[in-house]
């Protein structure tokens, strides 16, 4: 069986690896200043935010333990269902902690709004957000992005941890998937 090169499914590269690294470093520098001497906890939403969290945490000059949540609102499709499912919960108590959510992309805003409210209800001292990508054209729920990477157009993106049906996460850049791949 011949396996196709995943790059054959890419329409075009939207954000290069170099651009991603530069922006993540800039945000990490700012966060390191803003969170100096605070009881910080990084919370990443699995699986998409893993690449961003790994690079981001290495660029921080502060102590920042991390934890993970696995949330789903997509299933295997390309559109959100609107229903948030907790697949895996945090193992850390957030009470009294300054939580910084590290997200790969904010699309409709529903999942992020739910997560911010959930962490606040658990007693976090503060909850802020670093989103590598923001897609405002798709926003259904207003959310505050305290640290922003890139604002992108309404296109289906993959790479740098983001997927379509569990594929393309390993691309080292952000790319737009050909519509023929996902049936658009």
């Amino acid at each position: 069986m011949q396996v196709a090169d995943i790059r054959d499914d890419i329409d075009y590269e939207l954000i290069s690896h170099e651009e991603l690294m530069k922006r993540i470093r800039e945000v990490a520098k700012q966060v390191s200043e803003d969170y100096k001497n605070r009881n910080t906890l990084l919370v990443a939403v699995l699986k998409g935010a893993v690449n961003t969290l790994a690079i981001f945490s290495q660029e921080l000059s502060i102590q920042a333990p991390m934890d993970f949540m696995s949330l789903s609102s997509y299933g295997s499709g390309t559109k959100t269902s609107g229903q948030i499912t907790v697949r895996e919960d945090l193992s850390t108590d957030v009470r009294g902690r300054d939580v910084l959510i590290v997200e790969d992309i904010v699309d409709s805003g529903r999942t992020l709004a739910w997560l911010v409210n959930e962490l606040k209800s658990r007693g976090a001292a503060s909850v802020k957000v670093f989103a590598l990508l923001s897609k405002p054209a798709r926003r259904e729920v207003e959310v505050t992005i305290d640290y922003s990477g890139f604002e992108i157009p309404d296109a289906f993106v993959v790479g740098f941890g983001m997927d379509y049906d569990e594929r393309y996460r390993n691309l080292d850049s952000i790319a737009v998937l050909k519509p023929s791949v996902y049936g658009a």
Side-chain angles (χ1 to χ4, degrees):
M1 179 172 125
Q2 182 130 1
V3 178
D5 188 321
I6 62 174
R7 292 171 291 201
D8 294 340
D9 295 340
I10 301 305
D11 195 7
Y12 60 94
E13 183 178 79
L14 184 63
I15 305 169
S16 73
H17 180 75
E18 293 75 22
E19 291 171 302
L20 290 168
M21 296 301 104
K22 181 177 186 273
R23 184 64 188 138
I24 290 170
R25 282 186 199 103
E26 291 168 354
V27 172
K29 184 178 179 182
Q30 184 63 54
V31 166
S32 293
E33 284 181 32
D34 294 349
Y35 281 78
K36 194 182 299 181
N37 301 318
R38 292 174 72 183
N39 189 13
T40 307
L41 176 68
L42 302 177
V43 172
V45 179
L46 296 173
K47 300 177 189 171
V50 169
N51 291 26
T52 302
L53 177 69
I55 303 294
F56 177 69
S57 65
Q58 292 169 1
E59 294 294 331
L60 291 172
S61 63
I62 59 169
Q63 291 294 329
M66 58 185 83
D67 203 346
F68 304 90
M69 283 186 93
S70 179
L71 305 174
S72 177
S73 67
Y74 279 87
S76 64
T78 61
K79 291 184 173 41
T80 182
S81 67
Q83 182 68 35
I84 310 299
T85 302
V86 178
R87 292 182 180 167
E88 183 180 326
D89 208 343
L90 296 173
S91 60
T92 307
D93 186 353
V94 299
R95 269 183 296 216
R97 305 291 296 265
D98 292 303
V99 176
L100 180 62
I101 299 169
V102 177
E103 262 286 28
D104 53 347
I105 187 168
V106 179
D107 197 331
S108 72
R110 291 184 185 282
T111 301
L112 183 58
W114 179 89
L115 181 56
V116 168
N117 289 333
E118 178 67 15
L119 295 174
K120 286 178 179 177
S121 76
R122 293 182 185 189
S126 68
V127 180
K128 293 195 174 183
V129 175
F130 165 39
L132 182 63
L133 305 178
S134 176
K135 196 186 293 185
R138 304 272 304 181
R139 200 80 79 241
E140 296 172 12
V141 176
E142 277 309 308
V143 290
T144 300
I145 300 173
D146 304 280
Y147 302 96
S148 184
F150 301 89
E151 192 171 292
I152 64 168
D154 187 11
F156 196 86
V157 294
V158 294
F160 209 72
M162 288 169 277
D163 73 307
Y164 168 66
D165 203 19
E166 292 299 323
R167 297 179 297 164
Y168 313 102
R169 290 187 194 279
N170 59 315
L171 293 172
D172 72 350
S173 62
I174 304 295
V176 175
L177 198 59
K178 288 180 180 172
S180 59
V181 174
Y182 58 92

